[in-house]
């Protein structure tokens, strides 16, 4: 099972040739609009909205793409 994250967790992920760091803003467990796109998620297949420390922008990632720092 994939790792679970909580709001406020500090995480990193691969981004455009490097590694980005940021904070989990929320867990998404249903289809919704986030980070400018439609996110397909469910309680069994959640995604996480994260805020980049560097840019302040938000992105949505599957748990497998995130690593807790």
């Amino acid at each position: 099972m994939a790792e679970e994250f909580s709001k406020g967790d500090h995480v990193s992920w691969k981004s455009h040739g490097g590694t980005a760091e940021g904070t989990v803003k929320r867990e998404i467990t249903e289809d919704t609009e986030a980070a400018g796109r439609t996110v397909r998620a469910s309680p069994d297949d959640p995604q996480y909205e994260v805020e980049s420390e560097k840019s302040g922008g938000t992105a949505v990632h599957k748990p497998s793409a995130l690593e807790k720092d």
Side-chain angles (χ1 to χ4, degrees):
M1 185 170 169
E3 186 170 3
E4 293 185 10
F5 300 91
S6 300
K7 182 177 179 178
D9 283 351
H10 190 265
V11 295
S12 60
W13 62 94
K14 297 203 181 325
S15 175
H16 306 296
T19 301
E21 296 183 24
T23 306
V24 174
K25 301 314 271 181
R26 67 178 170 139
E27 178 182 41
I28 300 171
T29 56
E30 60 186 22
D31 293 354
T32 189
E33 294 289 324
R37 66 181 180 92
T38 300
V39 176
R40 301 279 179 212
S42 70
D44 293 331
D45 188 23
Q47 296 203 40
Y48 293 90
E49 184 173 23
V50 295
E51 181 177 7
S52 170
E53 284 181 355
K54 192 172 185 179
S55 70
T58 59
V60 176
H61 294 289
K62 292 183 179 275
S64 59
L66 298 172
E67 188 173 307
K68 200 179 291 190
D69 294 341

